[in-house]
Structures are given as structure tokens and as C-alpha cells.
Amino acid sequence: MRFRILGTLEVQAYGSRITLASPRQQRALAVLLLNAGTVVPVERMIDALWEDEPPVTAVKQVRNCVSALRGRLGEAGAMIVTDGPGYRLQLDPGDLDSLRFRRHVAAARVLAGQAKLVDAVEEIRAALALWRGPALDGLRTTTLSGRAALLDEQRAEAVELGAEWRLRLGETGEVVRELTEFCGEHPTRELSHLLLMRALAKEGRYAEASTLFHALRRRLADELGVDPNPDLRRLHDQILAEAAPSAEEPEPEPAPEVLPHHQFDRAVTELAEAVTWQWRAEAELRSLHRPQPIMLRWSAVARAGKPAPRGDLDDIAATFTALPVRQLVVLGDPGSGKSVLALMLTLELLRTRTPDAPVPVLLSLASWDPRREHLDRWLAARLAENHPALLTAREYGTDAPTRLVLGGHVVPVLDGLDEMPADLRVVALDALDQTVGAGRSLVLTCRSAEYEQVTRESGTVLAAATVVRLEPVARQEAITYLAARQGEDRWLPVADRLRRDPDAALARVLRTPLMVDLARIGYGRPPADPAELLAAGDAGALEGQLLDSFVPNAYAQVPQPPGRNPKTSPSGRYTAEQATRWLGFLARHLERTRSRDLAWWQLYRAVPAGTRSGLVGVLIALFFVVTGWVDDGPVLAAIYGLSFGGAAYLTHRFGRPPEPLRTELRFAGAAGKFAGRFAIGAAVGVLLGLGWSLAAGLVVFLALVFGLVFAVHVWLAEPVDASRVASPRTILRNERTGAIALSVSFLVSLGLFDGMAFAFTAQTRFLPVLGGRYDLALAIAGGVAGASFGFFMARGVAAACYGVAGALAGGQVFPAATDPVAPVVVGVCFGMGIGLAVLVTRAWGNYFVHHLWLAATGRLPWRLMHFLDDAHRRGVLRQAGGVYQFRHARVQERLAAVTGDDWRRASEAR
């Protein structure tokens, strides 16, 4: 018996096709096939059979329909068995085309991981040959469409995988033919367009690749309101550079196939070192290696015919290593220690790692959007974010993060499936199943209830994974942990209650490591009396009490010993009240953005869009108002201020938000690039000086200034040491260096030019209009200069806005300076305005302006990074690569809820 759902629904037996009597029978079989091997409840069958309100006799009709379906299938009807609350279809995986398709794709991924690309492409072709059209074509109902759409998505991913592998094999012509048709069918799939652009570029068809990019960008903007992803934008810039080489010859990068193998081996080794240092420091900061830590015990979910292993934190790494398929799912209640287990497992795997073993990398799943980004691409991007030196091709080869992921050199330890938005969990779990289904290693943590809900909705997933559940903390272990440092006396009432009444609120609350640890933190020091815990009769109220006490206790003012290291010890400058207010604001900000990652470069999202755009526009407008007033009075001041202030407002209201630069100052090997950039800058200075009719000496001076300004940027290069982990401070420091250098260069060069033009221009006019107050030729020149300036800063929106501003301001005709001080004021103010406009289009400048606003309004401290670093040392925050996270999701949720209520009450009182 053969079933086919990759296209129209078809059933074949002994070479002949079986026709189902009615659409209702077809839908019933379709829902069983989509969930082959799992029980489909009668309620879901009803939803599949009736689009509108089901009849009163729906249950009976479902039974009749299934009975008729069994009869129609003949002997194969016995494959449909009644199982508890519903029906299950038992079939061999080879009998269903969707299962064969997934098997081929999984085999292809394994072959690709072994660098057998030719064989992998053959497997992908065999998988795609099973498709005859959209899954369940012509049969989709509301219930069926979701799973059918997932199948269509898997087919699209298979097409893209095959295209990517064929590109690596040099089969560009075939890729162009296949993806041209595919992109026409899927006009907003970014990865398909990226691969097609890459294939076109390799064939030298740059114009077609650029046209394809612009068409995609228009569709994404019109239909989704977004820009193409950074990979597409970078590829487009690269294509433009290849199509029209600049005066500066780019430094050649070594081709992947000729790179010495030891370079890639060094990338693996240094990645292992970096991850070890990163999480060892975090474990020490969180006191996870204290002499008597609380014991985390786990037990595996039992499977038929197999023993269910049990263990504790000490042997989880050995258990994982001994698994036939190294895939582990860790489940537990909120606060049960899933993240701690993931961290300790990562460290133990790194400690026992052999040189040829993959590197475990612990990542939070909260930032992954599986609808827009493949898992492997997201993993590679996170590696690049946390270890930016891996992108240095000279040191580690081309695109080392992607090669590490696809080559099986990374074991993803993915923490917090439950922390993803609820509407993404099913898609994410299905994507995980597709990616690691061929036996790739994986560790996944999730809350038990959320995981069970997701698996009910998505069917059988991660079938090869071993599932373990974290057990509640035993009463005696909780007592031992709480009283370990203080002695038994103060904790005797608590111990007595736990032993005497195991079902009381206190006993129920102290079943998770988080709550036990919060109890120790809150009542560990005299004069706090642990007996206060006995007064709560409600478990929810007691949990809230412990969560509320966490931040005040973490910021308790205690005497510090002499000689302490201020870089590793908590600061005494913050009170508990201040910390609660500021952390509460950050928690509310993260809850609104549905995120767990506190990234400084995304802080602007805590300010309403209109406010932040207006703030930037007003600040920039002030400098140009002064410039125009000194030039020619209030009318010109208004034109300058409205033009450039409005351009800044629109750019920040509708433009693409900036991302941090990951660079560092480096002078070695930059001489050639410095000379090339200097030549370009000098040419720009000469053209500007001649255009504004400056004297020859001034033109030469401008050429030198512009040449130096353009050239200094070559000293900002990618980091080269992959053993260093990016942290919030290092990312901010590097981004600040680049942003300030860029802004100062524009400030100096354009400020000097504007001041000189005001003081020394011969006032040549070309196409004067409006009684000589406006010159069309200068307006065109100003518009082109403004558009180029805007495009350099923030691409499309900024180019249009600053192009209009440049045309309005540049065409104004005003008298030459008569006061020697006026050109200096004009040059300084114009340069400051331009410098600020550049600064706020960089991540650090954007952060700087909005942080000042939030600090001035009392919502954040003035020294925010110092405060966050201090909160990290106190254990309130944890660090994950370049971002901070609250120690636990429940701490974030509680802070957001409690301080949000206080904020609303304060607002109402005002």
C-alpha cells in the first residue's frame, strides 16, 4: 500500500489507484497521514472534516467515516486502529511519500556534513522527485493547512539546500535555471534569492543579480514592511563592488579550497577555548561550583522495552556521551534548573572533549525566528556575533562559522524553547526535527507543559532524542542546602514544617532549585528569620514573596573587606530601590519586545518611535539652525533646520535600525589600503574645492584633509583572535571606537569645507532663480551630495531624505562672510550637525542619545553599562555572549509585572 500526500492525495494498492468515495473520507485519511504513528483525537478529526460548525452527530459521523474508509482500503484498512480517544494510522515509513522525502533529506544532510556533496545532491534530487505539487493540493482545510504548509516549507528548504550544495560544486547554470522558476513561485523567500544572486554573480551576470535584489526589496517592503536580511544586503554590496571595481583594490582573500587545513583546526580549538572561558566564568560568578551545591536529579522518560536511566548533575555528560544518538531533551518545571544543567553539561563536555570532537555551544533560543531563518544559518550568525574573529578569512578561512556548523563541529545546546513566542514553538520544533533528524547532536531544554503542548500540535518530533525530566528537590536536600552555612538552629522551624507537612505551601514552593536558592538568599543572613516563610498559606503568594525579595537582598548594603578588586566585586553605589526601579523598567522593555536578550544596541526600542525620531531630529536641527542663522538670518536658519532636522526624523522613523560594528584598531598590513583610501579622499576634496571656486592653496589643503579622513578608517579591522568571546562591554567599546572615528572624520572634513566655502568662495552662480536667492545647479550638487551621504549612512530611506535636504539647503544663495569669526562658527556648527547625523546612524550613537533621554527621565541610571555589569556580578543578570539576560525568566516576568503595576499607580496619582 502506497500513500502520497506530496501533491494531490493518492492511494495505490498493487499498482492500481484506490478512489475514495467522498471528500470527507479524503480529509479523514489526510489528517491520519499527517500524523502517522500518533493518535489523532476525535475532536481533531471533527475539525478536519467540517470547515464550519460541525453537526450534533459529528462524533458518530466520524466513526462512520473511519469505518467506511477502512472498508475502502480493503486489507490495508486494518492499519487504522482505534486508540483511546482517537485513531492512529500504523504504516511502514516507506509507504508514505512524506516520510520517504524526510529520510532522503536527512541522509543528504549527513552526506553534506561528511563533505560528500555529489552524493548529497543526488539524495536531494531523489527527495524532490517525490513532489507532484503543493502538499494535499486541493484538499486543504483550516486544520490541514498548517501541517501541509510545513511540508511545503520543507520542500522549499530542500530546494535551497540542493542549490547551495550545487553552487559549491560549481554547477551555477543548473542553479540559475532551477531557482529562477522557484523564486517566481516564492517571490519573498530571501534565501532562494540570495542563492540565485550568488549564482548569477558567479556567471558574471551582475546586472541581473542587482535587478533581482531590488525587485525583492520592493516586494518585502510592500508586502511585509521589512528590508532584506543583512546577508542579502552584504551580497548585493559585494556584487556592486565586483561589477564596478573602485580605485582601491580589495585585499585578496584566500580561496577555501587552498586554505591550509590547520587554519580551520585552529578555529575549532580556539572556539572551544573561548566557550570554556565564557561559561566557566559565568559558573563561578553564579557560585555553581560551591562546595555543597543543591543536587539536581533527573530521570529519563520511559520507552517500551527499554530501561529508564536516572542520575544527577554529575553524570549527565557521561549519559549524553553514551547515547546511541546524541540528542537530549531536558524538561522541567519553571525554576527546576534546566539552564543550570545545560551550562554544567556544556562545561563538562568541554572538559572531557578530545581534539577531534565537536564543540558544545550554549545558546538561548529566544532570538531565533524559524519562519525567516534556517537553524544552521542562525547558529552560524550567533557564532559570528559571539566570536567575530571567526569572520576573518585570512586567519580562519572563508565563512568559518557556517563551515563549523555544517561540518558537524558544533553541538548546539539550545536553552529555552518555552521562551520563544508561543506561535513560533511548533515551527521551531519542526525545524529542529528536520535539521537534526539524521543523527546530528543536539541538547534542548524546555518547560514540561510547553513541550507537551508543542508535541501535541506538531506530532512525533525528535524521535531519536532521549527525553529527561528534572525531578523536584528532595526535602532533606533542600534542608541541607539551606542550613549548610548557617547551622541548623535558625532553619529548624522550616525543616520541621517540611518534614511534617510535605503538601503544605512551603514544601510545594521549595521543590525547585530557584525557590530554594531565593530562600537562602533572602533569609541567609541574620537578623532575617526563616520562620517568616511559615506564615504564607498560599504557594503563589510565597513564590511572589521570594521573587520580590531577590533584588532587595542582592543589593543589600553590607561592609566590604579591604583590598577588594572593584572590577570583580559589587559596587556599593546602587540602592535596592534604585535597582528595582531600573531593572523593572528593563524587564518591562523585554516583555514588550517578547525577548530575553538585553542588548544595549536595541535599547532605542524602549523609547516610543515618535519620541525617539523627534529627539534625534531636534538635536540635529539645532546645529543647522545656528549654521543658517549665522549665514543669513532667521529665514535661512528655518530652511536649514527643517531640511536636515526633518531628514533625520524621517530616517530614524522609517529607516533600518543600526547594528553594532565588530572591529578593533589594527595598523599592521594597512599601508596599501591607506594609500588607496587617501587617493579617493583627496580626489573628493579637490572636486569640492573647485566646485565652490576656492583658491588653489585651499583646494590642496582640502585634498589633504579629506585624504586623511578617508584613510584612517582602514585601521578599523575585524578582530583576529577567535578565542576571545564578545561581551556587552567589548562590543560597545569596539562599536564606540568605529562610530566616533566615522563621525569625527565627517565633522572635520565637511566642517572645514563649509567654513572655507562661506569665507573664501568666489560666489560663482550658474542657474540662479527666485530673484537670485536660489541656484539650481548648486541645488543639484547639494542633492547628489546629500543623497550620497545618506546612502553611506543608512541606505535607501536616508538617501532620499538627505538628498531632498541637500537640495533645499545647498541651493540657497547668501552673501559671503564679512566677519572672520562667522566662518569658524558656521564650520563648527555644520560639522557638528553632520557628525551627529552620522553618529546616530551607528549603533553606539543611537544608544548614546536614547540612553541619555531615558536616564534624564529617571528610567535608567546614567552609567548603564556599569550598572548592568554590577547586576551581573550580584547574580541578578547573567551574560550570554554579547547580551545580558535576567538570571531566570520568572525573575524578569515578576519584575515586569510588579514594577508595571507600581508605574501605573504612580502615573494615575500624577
Side-chain angles (χ1 to χ4, degrees), residues 752-771:
L752 274 174
F753 163 72
D754 194 64
M756 289 181 177
F758 183 40
F760 304 114
T761 179
Q763 291 190 290
T764 302
R765 297 295 178 253
F766 305 97
L767 298 172
V769 295
L770 301 177

Side-chain angles (χ1 to χ4, degrees), residues 630 755-756 758-760 816-827:
V630 174
M756 289 181 177
F758 183 40
F760 304 114
T818 56
D819 182 354
V821 178
V824 177
V825 175
V826 167

Side-chain angles (χ1 to χ4, degrees), residues 460-529:
T460 302
V461 289
L462 300 178
T466 297
V467 180
V468 302
R469 295 182 188 275
L470 290 173
E471 299 178 347
V473 177
R475 284 173 292 168
Q476 187 55 48
E477 289 175 354
I479 294 169
T480 302
Y481 179 78
L482 290 170
R485 295 185 178 179
Q486 291 80 26
E488 291 288 342
D489 292 345
R490 296 178 59 251
W491 290 93
L492 281 176
V494 173
D496 182 63
R497 175 67 65 84
L498 290 175
R499 295 190 183 101
R500 182 166 42 85
D501 195 351
D503 294 323
L506 178 62
R508 295 200 304 274
V509 169
L510 296 183
R511 288 176 180 173
T512 65
L514 174 65
M515 291 300 159
V516 175
D517 202 33
L518 291 182
R520 185 194 64 79
I521 294 172
Y523 296 92
R525 297 189 186 96
D529 185 4

Side-chain angles (χ1 to χ4, degrees), residues 31-41 44 99 102 147 150 425-427 429-430 433 451-463:
V31 74
L32 290 170
L33 289 170
L34 286 172
N35 299 275
T38 61
V39 177
V40 181
R44 196 185 302 178
L99 297 180
R102 294 173 67 173
R147 293 300 302 276
L150 282 176
R425 293 173 194 156
V426 173
V427 183
L429 196 58
D430 184 76
D433 188 45
Y451 189 79
E452 290 168 2
Q453 179 182 357
V454 171
T455 53
R456 281 197 303 269
E457 296 177 7
S458 60
T460 302
V461 289
L462 300 178

Side-chain angles (χ1 to χ4, degrees), residues 37 56 97 200 206 218 307 327 330 357-358 382 420-421 427 488 492 517 539 547 629 633 705 710 716 823 849 851 894:
V56 178
D97 58 355
L200 289 167
Y206 301 113
R218 285 194 299 271
Q327 295 177 4
V330 180
R382 292 303 303 272
M420 300 181 73
V427 183
E488 291 288 342
L492 281 176
D517 202 33
L547 288 166
W629 197 293
V705 171
F710 273 56
L716 295 175
V849 170
H851 168 233
R894 182 71 180 182

